[in-house]
Amino acid sequence: MTPQIEAIYRRESRRVLATLIRLLGDFDLAEDALHEAFFVAVERWQQDGVPSNPRAWLVSTGRFKAIDRLRRQARFTPLLQAQADALQAAQWSEQDLEDDRLRLIFTCCHPALAPDAQAALTLREICDLTTEEIARAFLATPTTIAQRIVRAKGKIREAKIPYQVPSRDELPERLDSVLRVVYLVFNEGYSASMGADLTREDLTREAIRLGRLLMELLPEPEVMGLLALMLLHESRRVARTSAGGGLVLLDEQDRGLWDASLIAEGCALVEHALSTRRFGPYCLQAAIAAVHAEAPSAGETDWLQIVGLYDVLLRAVPSPVIELNRAVAVAMRDGPLAGLQGVDGILARGELLDYHLAYSARGEFCRQLGRTEEARAAYEKALLLTQQAPEKHFLERRLTELNQPR
């Protein structure tokens, strides 16, 4: 595959798949059609050149490949002939080419599906994450994730779940799961679960694009909050890595690299959402991000306000991960011993035992307290649990520093 075709695959494959699912009405058939269309493209485009509208070409080719596949299989399953004839009869042209991903998200997040299946299916079908990447996001095994995806597709097929954006009356009750999934997509891009790179810009931009689409569709406070949260985090993405790709902690980042336009947009959305008095967890998380974004320097961060916001957030959404983040904020306000006590309380309850950031935080607090052996054990545990190269290098550097004379 040439670099140009690879770029088209990265840019267009999820759009093409979403449209093929709409046209064909079947996830597996659409996925096979997508792969066959790109296989043909690799052969033909290298000889004939890339068409002026590659997405339309891929959709059209994939559709015909699906029809041919059904007709071949109809020799053994006669009912497939009727399906092939119906698809052939349904006219399609480039004028019908739409961006179908929002429809696909609502299908993947249908309430008939279990919440974990909704997220796994969306990450797989909309964002092209592998089962291994999704498993890291869910702290689950790849086999478990694969089973969830297979069951979700079967449920959509058996229950004849419609491939459409819900009516305006149905939108609010369907929105929570969609927001959760969009945020999971963003998180995978903002802090990749594995690999050589800390971030995946394609995923953060995709999640923000989907957030903007949701804002157009339903400008509710929590939609504003999620979009604001993503924009404020995205504003810092460039500063989170060094020139060599290494991890740069928040208090060490060059704030001159932060994107002022994204910060301004995010803070304005936070203010608007909070003014409605109908805000929820995403708005509160965005408010925390806004406090960070508006601080002129790390030393001038209003940690008292951040801890207060985490207190409100924890009451709204009890979560050990949020509690861990609060412990870090408490450490910044009250010192490393207070932070360590918070982390140890979480681990003592048997929570976050497989979460590398919990041990990384513990290692940092112990290091600051001069408890070298405890710090080393915590960093080593975190190193075993992370699969992301920049985080591994950061932890290895911390371990090396512990071995040097103070």
Side-chain angles (χ1 to χ4, degrees):
M1 189 181 293
T2 67
Q4 184 181 17
I5 297 176
E6 285 182 1
I8 291 171
Y9 180 86
R10 288 193 300 271
R11 186 177 68 245
E12 300 289 358
S13 64
R14 296 301 101 185
R15 292 183 174 92
V16 172
L17 177 64
T19 299
L20 285 171
I21 291 172
R22 171 169 62 87
L23 296 174
L24 303 175
D26 184 275
F27 278 82
D28 293 333
L29 184 62
E31 288 172 0
D32 289 340
L34 171 72
H35 296 146
E36 290 191 57
F38 268 100
F39 182 80
V40 175
V42 169
E43 290 186 333
R44 293 189 185 174
W45 292 359
Q46 293 185 91
Q47 297 176 359
D48 305 335
V50 176
S52 58
N53 190 337
R55 195 198 317 174
W57 189 98
L58 289 163
V59 170
S60 180
T61 301
R63 178 175 172 272
F64 282 120
K65 286 293 183 182
I67 292 170
D68 288 344
R69 173 184 286 258
L70 290 172
R71 285 186 169 146
R72 288 196 305 272
Q73 294 174 342
R75 291 178 295 174
F76 311 102
T77 310
L79 288 176
L80 294 180
Q81 184 63 52
Q83 184 180 353
D85 292 342
L87 290 174
Q88 182 71 58
Q91 297 299 310
W92 181 85
S93 67
E94 290 188 15
Q95 284 67 43
D96 298 324
L97 191 65
E98 303 174 31
D99 190 337
D100 290 297
R101 284 174 295 179
L102 195 59
R103 287 189 182 94
L104 183 54
I105 284 179
F106 275 101
T107 301
C108 293
C109 298
H110 194 277
L113 305 177
D116 286 344
Q118 294 172 5
L121 186 62
T122 303
L123 290 170
R124 180 73 193 95
E125 302 303 327
I126 300 292
C127 302
D128 199 24
L129 298 193
T130 66
T131 53
E132 288 78 13
E133 289 169 325
I134 301 168
R136 288 293 299 171
F138 278 103
L139 304 179
T141 66
T143 301
T144 297
I145 295 301
Q147 290 171 346
R148 286 178 191 170
I149 292 171
V150 169
R151 284 197 297 267
K153 289 178 180 178
K155 180 71 172 180
I156 290 171
R157 184 169 53 250
E158 294 162 10
K160 294 183 169 55
I161 291 174
Y163 180 75
Q164 62 188 29
V165 176
S167 68
R168 194 166 189 83
D169 292 339
E170 297 175 306
L171 272 175
E173 66 184 32
R174 295 277 303 276
L175 191 59
D176 285 349
S177 58
V178 172
L179 294 178
R180 175 173 173 267
V181 168
V182 173
Y183 192 38
L184 276 173
V185 174
F186 180 84
N187 276 341
E188 178 60 30
Y190 187 70
S191 184
S193 58
M194 61 177 63
D197 298 321
L198 180 67
T199 64
R200 292 180 57 181
E201 185 180 0
D202 56 332
L203 292 181
T204 58
R205 288 191 173 182
E206 173 66 9
I208 289 171
R209 195 192 73 83
L210 292 171
R212 293 190 189 282
L213 281 176
L214 286 171
M215 268 289 293
E216 293 175 14
L217 188 66
L218 191 69
E220 288 290 311
E222 276 295 81
V223 179
M224 295 179 202
L226 175 58
L227 180 56
L229 178 61
M230 294 190 295
L231 292 171
L232 290 165
H233 282 327
E234 180 69 4
S235 72
R236 304 197 301 260
R237 182 176 50 78
V238 173
R240 293 182 66 233
T241 54
S242 65
L247 173 64
V248 181
L249 298 180
L250 177 63
D251 59 349
E252 299 172 350
Q253 289 174 15
D254 179 357
R255 299 190 177 212
L257 297 176
W258 290 5
D259 190 318
S261 64
L262 292 182
I263 291 173
E265 184 182 0
C267 288
L269 283 168
V270 171
E271 290 180 11
H272 188 183
L274 293 178
S275 71
T276 68
R277 312 298 296 175
R278 294 185 292 114
F279 53 84
Y282 292 112
C283 291
L284 290 168
Q285 291 178 76
I288 292 169
V291 176
H292 284 295
E294 292 176 328
S297 67
E300 296 172 88
T301 303
D302 188 345
W303 291 106
L304 180 64
Q305 184 179 3
I306 288 176
V307 172
L309 287 167
Y310 271 123
D311 289 339
V312 177
L313 181 59
L314 268 173
R315 287 196 294 272
V317 188
S319 159
V321 173
I322 294 173
E323 191 177 347
L324 174 65
N325 292 335
R326 181 188 180 278
V328 173
V330 167
M332 298 301 296
R333 185 191 67 180
D334 301 335
L337 181 59
L340 180 61
Q341 290 169 344
V343 174
D344 283 349
I346 296 168
L347 295 173
R349 296 198 307 267
E351 296 180 303
L352 303 185
L353 296 179
D354 294 323
Y355 191 49
H356 72 279
L357 292 178
Y359 296 99
S360 181
R362 190 179 198 284
E364 186 65 20
F365 298 147
C366 289
R367 183 184 71 85
Q368 292 175 18
L369 291 166
R371 293 158 64 165
T372 304
E373 291 307 313
E374 288 183 71
R376 181 179 291 108
Y379 282 138
E380 288 174 348
K381 179 69 172 179
L383 189 59
L384 286 174
L385 290 171
T386 185
Q387 296 189 39
Q388 186 194 86
E391 288 185 339
K392 282 182 177 290
H393 295 155
F394 170 79
L395 293 166
E396 288 166 350
R397 188 168 72 248
R398 279 288 193 254
L399 285 166
T400 299
E401 292 168 354
L402 287 176
N403 294 327
Q404 296 173 348
R406 293 180 65 87

